[in-house]
Every structure is written in structure tokens, then in C-alpha cells.
Amino acid sequence: MAELSKVYRCYHCGVILQNDDNSKPGYIEKEVMEKYPEGLLLCDNCFKNERFNSSPKEADFEVSYESILGEIKIKNALVVYVVDVFSFEGSFISKLNKKLEGIDVFAVASKRDLLPSEADNDILQHYIEHRLRVSKLTVKDSILVSTNSGYNMNILHEKLIKYGKNRDIYFIGATTSGKSTIIEDFLRNYTNNTHNLITTYTFNDSDLRGFRIPINDSHYIYETPGTSINNSIISKADKISQNQIIPKKTVKARNFKLSPNNSILFGGLVGIQLINGPRTNVSCYASSEVNINLIKGDLENSLTNLLKKKKVSPIIDYIKSATDFDAYDIQIPEKGSRDIGILGLGWINFIGNNQLFRVFVPKGVYVYTTRGKVQYVNK
Ligand SMILES: Nc1nc2c(ncn2[C@@H]2O[C@H](COP(=O)(O)OP(=O)(O)OP(=O)(O)O)[C@@H](O)[C@H]2O)c(=O)[nH]1
Ligand SMILES: [Mg+2]
């Protein structure tokens, strides 16, 4: 009797996969096919050249910003580096960090209210300091704050006045990290006892402008424009989805048990499949307006169906099927609490145990993995 056997196609280019000749289209190693019989398979060519990339791009920053950094260096000013604790990777920019080497930094981690109140502040602060230290920044001080809840804002104001006694202060950071909101909060409790005015200011050798606020007769706080991020999911989404993706209130963990071949779907935006490894408890962090679903079995079909029927939210109009995504494989050799995150959207947290995850994101969006950022008090 004739035997039917399944024909496998490359998930990206659609070519029929074969194990016989690596010089011909569709070649894939036999072991890979056997290892992931139900996984999404890519021919060697697509795996290497096109959509698979095990070292995704990092958050970027604009060259024009360098003139501001030059000004800071000449004045030996203090940099207040504002990072967003929810979207930390999107506001912690390694290219910018390199330029900050040798400059004194006061790290202000903003938007504390977006993380669960039970999250351990000491561990969070330690995580941020660790990341700054690893990036070789000269961190003179750091603080967690929230303008929304007022958390640590008085302490921050006092520190700014203290540090401004003998040097200028420059607020820098990614766009939407929270610089202006912190400065507005500062201004609410501020009295100008100097002979100078609050003015707008154009930074040396550039057309970048920001506010300049006198702290005393010889020193100022400078608000710089944010450096923009082009590989965040926010930059790929339309206004309506952006509104759903950016959290406005505390993000609570949503928990799932993920078995091999099953996936977590964030709206119609991101799919994270456990390709290989033990059944894993996963906590998902994203805006409450982003649906999070557990998908059993074939992610490619489920995703295409859900997108077609608009059964998930948010969706981005130009993403119509599974082939509109970039895919990354992430192997987790580390033990302990780990995160896999998607810039601008959120992250999953789990205990590392040699898992292999496959992450599908809209093309050009940055995916990262780090040690776990949020741990709970009494956990
Ligand atoms: N939940 C929460 N949202 C905040 C907080 N601080 C700022 N935001 C929001 O974050 C967004 C960006 O804040 P801004 O202060 O404008 O950010 P920025 O760093 O000045 O951004 P650019 O001017 O583009 O560089 C706004 O929608 C704020 O409402 C906070 O403490 N908690
Ligand atoms: Mg601003």
C-alpha cells in the first residue's frame, strides 16, 4: 500500500525542504528536522540570511545627540540618565552608554507605578545598578521614582538641588522615558530664587532644543530632547494599537504553564513558542489592553487564523499572516529567573532550565533576554 508522508516546507520562503544536497534550495539538516518535527522549520538559506538572527539589533540612538554629550563633557556636568523601568531595554541604549563613559551619571528609573507594587524594590534597584555597572557607567547615585504615584519624588528633588550646588545637570534619555514629566513635577515645587529665567536653550553645534532651569545663580538643569528608538514595537504600530500597547496602569503578571510546542500569543503582535525543554511556568507582563493567549500546537496556523478572524487584539494592519514576522531562536543555558522581552511591548519571566524558545515579532522589532527584572517580596 502506498504510504503518505508529510512534505515539509520552509516556513519563510515556502521551498520544499530536503536533506540530501546542501547546494540545492530547501536544504535543512536531517537532525534539525527530526529534533523539531512539529516546530516551524526554515531552510538553511532563510535561517542564515534572512529572518533568523540570534543577535538581534539593539536600541539605537541619533548621531545629533553627540553635540549635547560634547557640551556635557566640557562642563564636567552631571548626567541624570532617565530609564523607564517598564520598558528598560528601550530606554537603556548601549551606543549612548558608550558615549557616557567617564561622565558622572545619576540614574533615575522612572514609572515605578507600572510594575506590581509587590515587586521587590531592592532587587529592582540592584538589577538597574547591575546593568549600569556592566555598561561601565560611572554611577554616582541611583533612584527608583514614579511621577504618577509620587514615589521617591521628594527625595529626587532634594538630590537635584544638592547636586546642582556645584555643577550643571543634564537630563538625558530615550524618548518617552519620562524626563519632561519629572521636570514638570520638579517645577511644581520650585521657586526661582536666582537672577536668571527659565528659558529654552539650543545645544552647542546643533538644532536640538530643550528647557534650561536655573537651580542657583551659577548652575542649571537642562532638559534634552529624547533619543528616538526605531526598533520598538511602538514604532511599528498604528495610533490605536500604540494606545493599547503602552501601559497606563500597573502591569500585573498573567501566568501560564507552557508545554513544548505550545506558545504564548500577545495580541496578534508576538508569539513565543517553547520549542524544546521542560514544561515551564511563565509569567507575562504587558499592558492589560493586550490579550495574552495560550496556543496549543501549530502556532503558524493558529496565528494566521486568529489574525484573519481578528480574534486577538491589538493587531497591526499590515501583519496578516505568520510570514509577516521575524523569528528568533533563544536558547536559555542560564539557571534562575530569566526574562525574554520584546521592545516596547513587555516580557515573559520564567526559571531558566535549558529551554529553547522561538520568538515571532513584527519585522525589525528588537528581542532580548536578560536575568529576571521583577522578583516579588516574600517569594
Ligand atoms: N505610568 C507612568 N507614566 C509616566 C510616568 N512618567 C511619565 N509617564 C508617561 O510617559 C510618557 C512620556 O513621558 P515624558 O515625560 O513626555 O517623556 P520624555 O522623556 O520627556 O520624552 P521625550 O520628550 O519624547 O524625550 C507620557 O505619556 C507620560 O505620561 C510615570 O511615573 N508613570
Ligand atoms: Mg520630553
Side-chain angles (χ1 to χ4, degrees), residues 238-256:
D238 53 82
K239 281 269 173 290
I240 295 171
S241 342
Q242 277 181 5
N243 218 9
Q244 291 169 286
I245 295 168
I246 298 171
K248 287 160 235 28
K249 53 182 202 252
T250 304
V251 168
K252 300 243 162 64
R254 282 176 269 175
N255 301 318
F256 298 89

Side-chain angles (χ1 to χ4, degrees), residues 38-136:
E38 301 301 327
L40 298 180
L41 297 167
L42 295 171
C43 70
D44 259 17
N45 199 31
C46 287
F47 185 86
K48 284 189 197 123
N49 302 329
E50 301 208 18
R51 50 206 303 273
F52 249 77
N53 179 354
S54 53
S55 57
K57 293 170 287 176
E58 293 177 330
D60 217 340
F61 91 106
E62 290 164 65
V63 177
S64 57
Y65 217 67
E66 297 206 10
S67 54
I68 298 181
L69 296 169
E71 189 175 315
I72 291 170
K73 274 196 180 135
I74 290 167
K75 289 185 180 172
N76 188 27
L78 175 73
V79 157
V80 171
Y81 191 173
V82 180
V83 292
D84 169 344
V85 278
F86 177 76
S87 191
F88 182 76
E89 302 300 319
S91 57
F92 194 59
I93 308 164
S94 68
K95 278 192 194 162
L96 177 57
N97 295 342
K98 284 204 183 75
K99 303 278 175 190
L100 287 173
E101 274 179 32
I103 296 175
D104 287 348
V105 168
F106 174 19
V108 176
S110 67
K111 310 192 191 179
R112 169 63 185 88
D113 60 290
L114 290 180
L115 297 183
S117 55
E118 313 81 47
D120 191 312
N121 285 329
D122 290 341
I123 292 179
L124 201 51
Q125 177 116 18
H126 188 251
Y127 174 94
I128 285 157
E129 283 173 2
H130 169 80
R131 297 291 304 274
L132 293 160
R133 252 198 328 270
V134 170
S135 293
K136 300 202 184 83

Side-chain angles (χ1 to χ4, degrees), residues 292-353:
I292 304 185
N293 294 302
L294 181 71
I295 303 289
K296 297 195 171 160
D298 192 321
L299 175 62
E300 182 185 13
N301 277 342
S302 307
L303 193 49
T304 305
N305 273 337
L306 289 166
L307 286 169
K308 203 184 281 168
K309 292 181 187 152
K310 302 207 163 154
K311 280 233 165 132
V312 277
S313 170
I315 49 177
I316 303 178
D317 261 359
Y318 68 86
I319 297 180
K320 300 215 182 310
S321 78
T323 47
D324 292 323
F325 290 83
D326 272 343
Y328 299 106
D329 267 3
I330 300 183
Q331 181 79 50
I332 307 290
E334 299 90 350
K335 301 285 170 207
S337 173
R338 301 292 305 170
D339 290 345
I340 292 178
I342 294 90
L343 198 57
L345 176 69
W347 65 95
I348 63 166
N349 176 260
F350 55 92
I351 301 297
N353 193 359

Side-chain angles (χ1 to χ4, degrees), residues 103-318:
I103 296 175
D104 287 348
V105 168
F106 174 19
V108 176
S110 67
K111 310 192 191 179
R112 169 63 185 88
D113 60 290
L114 290 180
L115 297 183
S117 55
E118 313 81 47
D120 191 312
N121 285 329
D122 290 341
I123 292 179
L124 201 51
Q125 177 116 18
H126 188 251
Y127 174 94
I128 285 157
E129 283 173 2
H130 169 80
R131 297 291 304 274
L132 293 160
R133 252 198 328 270
V134 170
S135 293
K136 300 202 184 83
L137 297 184
T138 313
V139 183
K140 293 290 173 190
D141 199 355
S142 71
I143 191 169
L144 279 177
V145 300
S146 163
T147 49
N148 268 19
S149 70
Y151 177 68
N152 276 346
M153 288 308 292
N154 286 343
I155 301 175
L156 174 61
H157 295 168
E158 284 163 18
K159 283 178 185 269
L160 291 174
I161 300 285
K162 184 177 101 187
Y163 294 137
K165 280 212 169 97
N166 46 23
R167 66 205 301 197
D168 285 334
I169 295 176
Y170 282 68
F171 270 67
I172 67 159
T175 183
T176 76
S177 58
K179 299 177 296 299
S180 301
T181 319
I182 291 172
I183 288 175
E184 275 164 33
D185 193 273
F186 176 79
L187 287 176
R188 247 177 255 131
N189 304 292
Y190 159 95
T191 323
N192 188 352
N193 295 321
T194 74
H195 300 294
N196 305 313
L197 297 172
I198 298 178
T199 54
T200 50
Y201 174 85
T202 305
F203 295 96
N204 283 353
D205 305 324
S206 78
D207 53 6
L208 299 174
R209 288 164 73 82
F211 277 111
R212 189 175 78 161
I213 301 148
I215 322 173
N216 50 47
D217 277 325
S218 36
H219 296 292
Y220 296 88
I221 289 176
Y222 293 84
E223 180 201 27
T224 72
T227 69
S228 66
I229 309 291
N230 60 10
N231 49 9
S232 158
I233 207 162
I234 309 284
S235 64
K236 316 288 174 198
D238 53 82
K239 281 269 173 290
I240 295 171
S241 342
Q242 277 181 5
N243 218 9
Q244 291 169 286
I245 295 168
I246 298 171
K248 287 160 235 28
K249 53 182 202 252
T250 304
V251 168
K252 300 243 162 64
R254 282 176 269 175
N255 301 318
F256 298 89
K257 285 186 193 307
L258 197 57
S259 302
N261 280 322
N262 291 355
S263 312
I264 302 281
L265 202 59
F266 287 77
L269 305 172
V270 166
I272 303 180
Q273 185 177 27
L274 177 61
I275 298 276
N276 211 345
R279 191 164 191 237
T280 303
N281 289 328
V282 170
S283 300
C284 304
Y285 293 84
S287 157
S288 58
E289 291 179 53
V290 173
N291 301 157
I292 304 185
N293 294 302
L294 181 71
I295 303 289
K296 297 195 171 160
D298 192 321
L299 175 62
E300 182 185 13
N301 277 342
S302 307
L303 193 49
T304 305
N305 273 337
L306 289 166
L307 286 169
K308 203 184 281 168
K309 292 181 187 152
K310 302 207 163 154
K311 280 233 165 132
V312 277
S313 170
I315 49 177
I316 303 178
D317 261 359
Y318 68 86

